[in-house]
Amino acid sequence: MIDLFGGHPETDALSDVDDVQFLDTTLRDGEQAPGVSLTPEEKARVARRLDAAAIDVIEAGSACTGPGERATIDRVTDLDLDATVTSFCRGLERDIDLALECDVDGVNLVVPASDRHVTTKVGTSHDENVHNTAELVAYAKDHGLWVEVIGEDGSRADVDYLEELMAASLEAGADRVCYADTVGHATPDRTLECVSRLADLGPTSTHTHDDLGLAVTNALVSVAAGADLVHGTINGIGERAGNVALEEVAIALDHGYGVEPMDLTEVYGLAQLVAKLTGIPLAPNKAVVGQNAFTHESGIHTDGTLKDDAMYEPYPPEKVGRERRLALGKHAGRAGVEAALSEHDVEVDDGQLAEIVDRVKAIGDRGKRVTDADLLTIAEDVKGADRDRTVELLDLTAVSGVNPPTASVRLDVAGETRKEAATGSGPVDAAMNAAENALSHEVDASLESYHVDAITGGTDAVVTVEVEMARGDDHVTVTASDSDITSASVTAMVDAMDRLVTDEGEQVIADD
Ligand SMILES: [Zn+2]
């Protein structure tokens, strides 16, 4: 029988909570995700954004890892942020000394809590572990540090022992203790039991992982049980299935309970920065920050959204620094297509609209997304208008296998031929840079996203490159397909630039 929260009347208290703090561990636990390594400069960029988002504590790394890691922590402590900056430390005096070398404000002292960790991993006894932990806390406090004691694998520990260990830590002067569901094993009931016991002792944090898909639930249950500081990472990156995603806890607390633990409008910018720097992309359906979270494609949903923004959204996208998007595909209806066309200032009559909707649905039926460029091309075709291009790609040369890779492009820009060369991290990057240089005088456009799909398998696969570019408030998404990835990339970019300048030209003429 599932007896969720049976006999725990204190769970009602979530609606009474008025303040929750966040500890962000993107730079420590998040960086432990397979294949992720951030440079000091990259860590500094993330830390600045976290601070701007009013995150209370930033765990900047693990000082014992080595001199390289200490340099990155040092770079973060040098920023002089409002947030408390900490280092992860194992239960060793040497680790605390190394953290002090990095000038941190505090330490997250990790000591074994479960039998598995106390005896098998660390090879100590339960009593010795309590004694050792209390001594380390006193040592760190003597050196002026803020101290949080994390009982590693706490969710699998004997609760009485966990309570004894944490009580000794607080008595020795620790500022707070932390319940750690290190392997993401706990049910909400277990979380409630452990956190309630610790919160009775003193200030308690919670550290949850998503192995059972329960990280957010367990974080919220922890808060209901008395925890007032939640550990997590941006986008939920971390070892295995990851840590709890802070942006998800933040919106759940804000939307459900009116508690705002961070500046939510910073969430999307942070998510994009972390995805870019770590190379871990956001799943399109990811809560809060996924590409589709505020995108409406189905005809009925689009129609409803156009009548009332809140029709198919729990909260407005602006709340988390985003915009609503209407996408077109096989579910497209008249209202959605008309709205998309009017975003580009294209007017059509009823007959033309019906034909455009049919053709959009036909592309969607083939399982393809209908981009802005597709829609505008269809509309021009239906209206019988031949569009004059402003920017056209004449030719492209890219050389790889040289250092650095080099490319040159020749473009026709409003009848004038331009040639530019550039270098890059690879031939695609070099060619994109060359095209950008050739157009930079008049097109102040930025590349918002770049995405490649192989349509067929094999090394001769045709690839489709999708680029999204923005110029001021204008956004366009364009795709191009070719068996040559460099050529597809530059074609898509040049087409997007052409759309941005040509749309602008038409608007200027129309305004006159
Ligand atoms: Zn963890």
Side-chain angles (χ1 to χ4, degrees), residues 357-444:
V357 171
D358 284 347
R359 286 177 59 176
V360 164
K361 286 163 101 69
I363 298 179
D365 279 338
R366 296 204 301 271
K368 292 201 169 157
R369 213 169 79 94
V370 181
T371 65
D372 298 327
D374 293 334
L375 176 68
L376 294 172
T377 306
I378 293 168
E380 279 151 15
D381 198 35
V382 168
K383 290 178 77 177
D386 253 343
R387 196 176 65 93
D388 288 328
R389 287 186 67 118
T390 310
V391 187
E392 203 155 4
L393 179 65
L394 299 176
D395 58 51
L396 158 72
T397 318
V399 189
S400 58
V402 294
N403 194 17
T406 313
S408 68
V409 296
R410 215 156 53 85
L411 299 177
D412 183 302
V413 183
E416 180 198 326
T417 304
R418 298 234 181 114
K419 194 169 180 203
E420 281 284 345
T423 58
S425 59
V428 173
D429 189 42
M432 299 287 265
N433 290 341
E436 214 169 354
N437 290 348
L439 287 160
S440 61
H441 309 292
E442 48 264 75
V443 188
D444 184 22

Side-chain angles (χ1 to χ4, degrees), residues 28-29 207 209 243:
R28 199 276 298 171
D29 224 352
H207 182 107
H209 277 268
N243 291 64

Side-chain angles (χ1 to χ4, degrees), residues 128-450:
E128 187 56 36
N129 185 41
V130 172
H131 178 74
N132 185 40
T133 300
E135 282 199 331
L136 288 167
V137 169
Y139 181 78
K141 288 310 294 178
D142 279 350
H143 288 80
L145 292 165
W146 174 91
V147 179
E148 177 186 73
V149 177
I150 303 176
E152 189 169 21
D153 206 21
S155 59
R156 291 194 292 188
D158 173 80
V159 190
D160 292 333
Y161 179 67
L162 182 66
E163 195 176 35
E164 182 193 338
L165 178 65
M166 293 312 191
S169 303
L170 289 165
E171 268 163 42
D175 295 86
R176 54 175 51 245
V177 294
C178 180
Y179 161 76
D181 188 13
T182 306
V183 298
H185 136 98
T187 59
D189 311 61
R190 172 71 179 171
T191 305
L192 185 69
E193 182 189 9
C194 295
V195 176
S196 303
R197 297 269 295 267
L198 299 187
D200 279 346
L201 304 172
T204 300
S205 313
T206 186
H207 182 107
T208 59
H209 277 268
D210 209 30
D211 299 72
L212 298 181
L214 286 171
V216 173
T217 306
N218 285 338
L220 294 177
V221 166
S222 299
V223 171
D228 59 356
L229 188 147
V230 175
H231 288 204
T233 61
I234 300 302
N235 303 342
I237 63 168
E239 286 176 282
R240 308 182 312 277
N243 291 64
V244 72
L246 279 185
E247 68 277 8
E248 294 180 12
V249 180
I251 194 66
L253 285 171
D254 178 280
H255 181 71
Y257 304 98
V259 177
E260 196 179 343
M262 66 183 287
D263 181 353
L264 278 165
T265 59
E266 293 286 331
V267 155
Y268 192 52
L270 257 171
Q272 287 182 305
L273 179 67
V274 169
K276 188 175 145 202
L277 297 182
T278 59
I280 301 176
L282 293 165
N285 62 332
K286 163 90 173 62
V288 191
V289 293
Q291 201 195 2
N292 293 347
F294 298 97
T295 301
H296 306 277
E297 182 187 304
S298 117
I300 299 161
H301 281 208
T302 304
D303 187 44
T305 302
L306 288 167
K307 287 179 178 136
D308 174 357
D309 289 344
M311 194 74 77
Y312 290 103
E313 287 168 1
Y315 58 91
E318 294 77 18
K319 193 174 192 104
V320 288
R322 303 194 61 178
E323 287 171 14
R324 178 176 304 109
R325 298 185 65 168
L326 301 176
L328 300 172
K330 71 172 181 179
H331 305 292
R334 291 175 66 93
V337 171
E338 197 170 18
L341 287 169
S342 74
E343 263 180 40
H344 294 279
D345 299 308
V346 176
E347 281 178 28
V348 292
D349 62 33
D350 277 2
Q352 289 167 341
L353 181 60
E355 194 181 334
I356 294 168
V357 171
D358 284 347
R359 286 177 59 176
V360 164
K361 286 163 101 69
I363 298 179
D365 279 338
R366 296 204 301 271
K368 292 201 169 157
R369 213 169 79 94
V370 181
T371 65
D372 298 327
D374 293 334
L375 176 68
L376 294 172
T377 306
I378 293 168
E380 279 151 15
D381 198 35
V382 168
K383 290 178 77 177
D386 253 343
R387 196 176 65 93
D388 288 328
R389 287 186 67 118
T390 310
V391 187
E392 203 155 4
L393 179 65
L394 299 176
D395 58 51
L396 158 72
T397 318
V399 189
S400 58
V402 294
N403 194 17
T406 313
S408 68
V409 296
R410 215 156 53 85
L411 299 177
D412 183 302
V413 183
E416 180 198 326
T417 304
R418 298 234 181 114
K419 194 169 180 203
E420 281 284 345
T423 58
S425 59
V428 173
D429 189 42
M432 299 287 265
N433 290 341
E436 214 169 354
N437 290 348
L439 287 160
S440 61
H441 309 292
E442 48 264 75
V443 188
D444 184 22
S446 60
L447 182 66
E448 299 284 291
S449 73
Y450 173 89

